[in-house]
Amino acid sequence: MAWEAGSGHLHYSVPEEAKHGTFVGRIAQDLGLELEELVPRLFRVASKDHEDLLEVNLQNGILFVNSRIDREELCGRSAECSIHLEVIVDRPLQVFHVEVEVRDINDNPPVFPVKEQRVLIYESRLPDSLFPLEGASDADVGSNSILNYKLSSSEYFALNTKTNSDENKQIGLVIRKSLDREDAPEHNLLLIATDGGKPELTGSVQLLVTVLDVNDNAPSFERSEYEVKVFENSDKGTTVVRLNASDRDEGTNGAISYSFNSLVPPMVTDQFSLGANTGEITIQGNLDFEQVSLYKLRIDATDKGHPPMAGHCTVLVKVLDENDNVPQIAVTSLSLPVREDAQFGTVIALISVSDRDSGANGQVTCSLTPQVPFKLMSTFKNYYSLVLDSALDRESISEYDLVVTARDGGSPSLWATASLLVEVADVNDNAPLFAQPEYTVFVKENNPPGCHIFTVSAHDADAQENARVLYSLVERRVGERALSSYVSVQAESGKVYALQPLDHEELELLQFQVRARDAGVPPLDSNVTLQVFVLDENDNAPALLGPWQQGASTAVSELVSRSIGVGHVVAKVRAVDADSGYNAWLSYELLMAAGVARSPFRVGLYTGEISTTRALDESDAPRQGLLVLVKDHGEPALTATATILVSLVESSQASKVSSLASVGVAGQEVVLMDVNMYLIIAICAVSSLLVLTLLLYTALRCAAPPTKGVCVSVKPTLVSSSAVGSWSYSQQRRQRVCSGEVPSKTDLIAFSPSLPPCPVGVDIGDSHDLNEDHCARVSLNFHNYCLICFILNL
């Protein structure tokens, strides 16, 4: 055994007819494989059409004979005979090629085609005349098939042996002395053939020689052997050769007819025809080089004498090969599907090609569909491996329909194709993706618990389990509570549910993230942001301010001088609404009491100011009750009522009350001024720290790259009064104040409510009147606060 240089080809030899279990070679050791890894790596031997002849013992790695090997049955008379084995191991996949030569032994004796050969010889034939005999054949090859002939002892005949161009021996019977039919009309001879093997084997045939009388000249050919070449697949009727024999006799003894010798087998007569009078050999069958490449035709030329005489010649017809066989492709050992993260060089399949033609017609080249991430690598002669050549991406191309083309070297060349579908197996290399990074959802407040508010959906480009997406919340705190107490996400469908009623006045915007995670190993995920805006509904009635805060049934008393003119404001009703928008837009309406024809007072539709519609006179009742209806613009509208008791007094009484109220107000204003002074000092100190902080922040901003803007959230309470209406905002409503790179524009707008003049003659002991007396001081404190805020903003 030996490795052929540079080919990776292991060679053994074994004699034919070896017994079962005969040692051939230590194949595992010669291939460099350890005995312990034969079974785990699925060590196996494959042989096309000869799988049961040889086997490998996986325990010791020895290749041995498994069944009877007959070289003649396996290879016929071919000079070389070998069994090609493919040794395949997995993990990783490797293929080794092994050739086992089958050596010939002398197990076949020489065999003659017939048991008895009859030879007709005219007595007129001269000594040394040659009569061809049919030799024996030996199924063995080499020296075992070399035959030597021996003729039994005879005084009339001798054996002539001649080697032909095809290395075959042609034998003939030679007359040693003249024959006399009257003395010996028949001669029985024994022809023995001995081969060159050890030990020698022999075969024999009986020769029955009949001596004929009369005709003394036989036809003769120009040559004893003719060699002709003809292409396979030649048309029927094509002339192969025209034979010409001559006879020295005249008349009927010189008339010659041609025929095939009686020993010519039917396979020859089926392929060729012979003209009896012309000697022309033509094709009448289909010549196939791959089946028979050489035909041996024995031709007899017989005259018409009495008795007739025959001449003999041999025609060797060599069939030339043509490119008439398409290459064959066989695909084995598929490793499918292929993971999309497989490494370069991974073996996908084993491919073998073959062509029954010979020479250049049988030389096959193999190619693959272009522009695919695979390539063919030649491993041994006509064996190829399909390997991965570049990266795979299942999301781009999930399968490849490859076409393997085998083309021979003939002219014109023939080719064959084989399709191979390579599927790409998915790996988890794509995270779930949402259609957009952020969604805005609008939900009305006071929703029922567990209501569906939105559905998120993410797509994963992977397949099967790698594409199965589960959804979950990214937990965080919302104020003092966990996010999961507000909303939940259904893991399979991605539906988002509100777990409790949402309150616009408590939470206007709920921002959170939903995570989509696939079921791959390892899992991949991505997040999407949901901004849930809670829309306001009219669920808060207007709330009265001032003395009405103590209860809806509280009545406020006002003293009004009868001398006031038209349009004088005598009181003002203040109210706020915790809702927003139109739900917080308030309007005021004076409800007329039953039996009152026309009241001298009216209320501003949007200001809530109660003023006179005409001059007061003596006919007006000294004490009048006014009922003011406060209504928002929601659907449906919600209302509140305020009661005001107006007392009409003379001017002198109003002046006394006004003086007493002024004294009380002056005393309290001094106290308020002291409080305001301390407030101003505290605010100035805080403002100084604010200015230093702003300077430090500006310096850091100049050193850092610019940003788009900074947003902060504040919760102001603002009651705006104007001629067009009153807008109230909830204490819990979030306002966003954004500062960007453009120069800021600061506007401070302070709305001062129109306060009625303090009436004269107020009862100091009345708590309601005291609240009205403090209106001027509250207004002064409010103006001072607004002025300080204005300075700080500047």
Side-chain angles (χ1 to χ4, degrees), residues 228-230 234-243 272-273 279-284:
V228 183
K229 297 180 180 179
V230 63
S234 295
D235 296 336
K236 295 181 179 180
T238 301
T239 299
V240 178
V241 67
R242 183 184 293 271
L243 301 176
F272 302 93
S273 64
E280 185 179 65
I281 300 176
T282 58
I283 299 174
Q284 70 174 3

Side-chain angles (χ1 to χ4, degrees), residues 565-568 590 598-603 610-616:
V566 178
H568 185 80
L590 187 61
R598 181 171 178 268
S599 173
F601 301 99
R602 69 178 179 84
V603 65
I610 300 175
S611 59
T612 57
T613 59
R614 58 180 175 81
L616 300 176

Side-chain angles (χ1 to χ4, degrees), residues 154-231:
S154 173
E155 64 176 326
Y156 292 100
F157 300 98
L159 188 65
N160 178 269
T161 303
K162 181 181 178 181
T163 302
N164 296 334
S165 59
D166 59 350
E167 300 300 323
N168 289 326
K169 289 184 178 181
Q170 184 175 1
I171 60 175
L173 193 63
V174 179
I175 299 177
R176 298 176 64 180
K177 70 177 186 177
S178 297
L179 301 177
D180 188 357
R181 178 181 177 278
E182 286 69 18
D183 292 337
E186 290 184 351
H187 297 270
N188 289 319
L189 304 175
L190 181 64
L191 179 62
I192 301 173
T194 305
D195 62 22
K198 293 184 179 180
E200 296 178 346
L201 300 178
T202 61
S204 61
V205 63
Q206 290 288 333
L207 297 180
L208 180 59
V209 180
T210 301
V211 181
L212 302 178
D213 201 14
V214 187
N215 205 356
D216 59 345
N217 287 293
S220 62
F221 292 92
E222 295 176 356
R223 290 181 294 176
S224 63
E225 182 177 290
Y226 296 86
E227 184 174 317
V228 183
K229 297 180 180 179
V230 63
F231 283 101

Side-chain angles (χ1 to χ4, degrees), residues 81-101:
C81 183
S82 61
I83 301 173
H84 178 76
L85 303 178
E86 286 182 7
V87 179
I88 304 173
V89 292
D90 293 336
R91 303 172 187 167
L93 178 64
Q94 290 181 286
V95 180
F96 304 93
H97 298 276
V98 179
E99 282 191 359
V100 179
E101 179 186 1

Side-chain angles (χ1 to χ4, degrees), residues 48-278:
K48 186 177 181 181
D49 301 329
H50 312 296
E51 294 183 357
D52 60 339
L53 298 181
L54 299 172
E55 190 58 60
V56 175
N57 189 333
L58 298 181
Q59 302 299 322
N60 53 25
I62 293 178
L63 179 66
F64 63 93
V65 175
N66 186 47
S67 60
R68 176 178 175 270
I69 301 176
D70 188 351
R71 186 187 185 283
E72 288 71 31
E73 179 182 351
L74 191 65
C75 302
R77 294 189 56 81
S78 176
E80 296 181 359
C81 183
S82 61
I83 301 173
H84 178 76
L85 303 178
E86 286 182 7
V87 179
I88 304 173
V89 292
D90 293 336
R91 303 172 187 167
L93 178 64
Q94 290 181 286
V95 180
F96 304 93
H97 298 276
V98 179
E99 282 191 359
V100 179
E101 179 186 1
V102 181
R103 300 194 305 272
D104 183 51
I105 64 173
N106 192 25
D107 60 339
N108 291 282
V111 176
F112 287 90
V114 294
K115 294 182 179 180
E116 182 181 86
Q117 291 190 29
R118 289 181 176 271
V119 182
L120 302 178
I121 302 177
Y122 292 100
E123 62 178 341
S124 59
R125 296 301 296 267
L126 300 176
D128 296 329
S129 295
L130 179 65
F131 299 91
L133 299 175
E134 186 69 16
S137 62
D138 196 321
D140 296 320
V141 295
S143 61
N144 295 329
S145 65
I146 298 177
L147 301 179
N148 296 313
Y149 295 91
K150 182 180 178 182
L151 187 64
S152 61
S153 177
S154 173
E155 64 176 326
Y156 292 100
F157 300 98
L159 188 65
N160 178 269
T161 303
K162 181 181 178 181
T163 302
N164 296 334
S165 59
D166 59 350
E167 300 300 323
N168 289 326
K169 289 184 178 181
Q170 184 175 1
I171 60 175
L173 193 63
V174 179
I175 299 177
R176 298 176 64 180
K177 70 177 186 177
S178 297
L179 301 177
D180 188 357
R181 178 181 177 278
E182 286 69 18
D183 292 337
E186 290 184 351
H187 297 270
N188 289 319
L189 304 175
L190 181 64
L191 179 62
I192 301 173
T194 305
D195 62 22
K198 293 184 179 180
E200 296 178 346
L201 300 178
T202 61
S204 61
V205 63
Q206 290 288 333
L207 297 180
L208 180 59
V209 180
T210 301
V211 181
L212 302 178
D213 201 14
V214 187
N215 205 356
D216 59 345
N217 287 293
S220 62
F221 292 92
E222 295 176 356
R223 290 181 294 176
S224 63
E225 182 177 290
Y226 296 86
E227 184 174 317
V228 183
K229 297 180 180 179
V230 63
F231 283 101
E232 65 173 331
N233 302 321
S234 295
D235 296 336
K236 295 181 179 180
T238 301
T239 299
V240 178
V241 67
R242 183 184 293 271
L243 301 176
N244 185 20
S246 60
D247 194 325
R248 289 182 298 172
D249 294 333
E250 293 181 352
T252 57
N253 292 331
I256 300 174
S257 63
Y258 301 90
S259 63
F260 289 111
N261 190 277
S262 60
L263 299 178
V264 174
M267 63 171 291
V268 175
T269 58
D270 291 342
Q271 298 294 336
F272 302 93
S273 64
L274 176 61
N277 297 323
T278 62

Side-chain angles (χ1 to χ4, degrees), residues 579-732:
D579 295 320
S580 61
Y582 275 88
N583 296 329
W585 187 14
L586 304 180
S587 62
Y588 302 85
E589 180 182 350
L590 187 61
L591 300 178
M592 302 300 294
V596 178
R598 181 171 178 268
S599 173
F601 301 99
R602 69 178 179 84
V603 65
L605 179 62
Y606 299 112
T607 62
E609 295 178 346
I610 300 175
S611 59
T612 57
T613 59
R614 58 180 175 81
L616 300 176
D617 51 28
E618 296 297 333
S619 62
D620 294 320
R623 191 173 181 86
Q624 299 190 18
L626 304 179
L627 182 61
V628 178
L629 177 67
V630 184
K631 180 173 63 175
D632 59 27
H633 286 73
E635 290 293 339
L638 301 178
T639 61
T641 57
T643 302
I644 302 173
L645 299 178
V646 179
S647 299
L648 302 182
V649 298
E650 298 299 329
S651 299
S652 58
Q653 294 177 354
S655 298
K656 291 179 182 180
V657 174
S658 176
S659 299
L660 292 175
S662 298
V663 172
V665 169
Q668 294 191 17
E669 283 183 356
V670 173
V671 177
L672 289 175
M673 287 298 291
D674 293 338
V675 174
N676 289 339
M677 181 60 67
Y678 291 117
L679 179 61
I680 291 173
I681 294 173
I683 292 177
C684 288
V686 174
S687 300
S688 300
L689 293 176
L690 176 62
V691 170
L692 292 176
T693 304
L694 291 176
L695 290 176
L696 180 60
Y697 176 77
T698 304
L700 294 176
R701 289 281 292 179
C702 292
T707 59
K708 293 184 178 180
V710 179
C711 296
V712 296
S713 299
V714 296
K715 299 181 180 179
T717 301
L718 178 61
V719 179
S720 303
S721 300
S722 65
V724 297
S726 176
W727 293 81
S728 301
Y729 297 90
S730 172
Q731 293 286 350
Q732 287 77 22

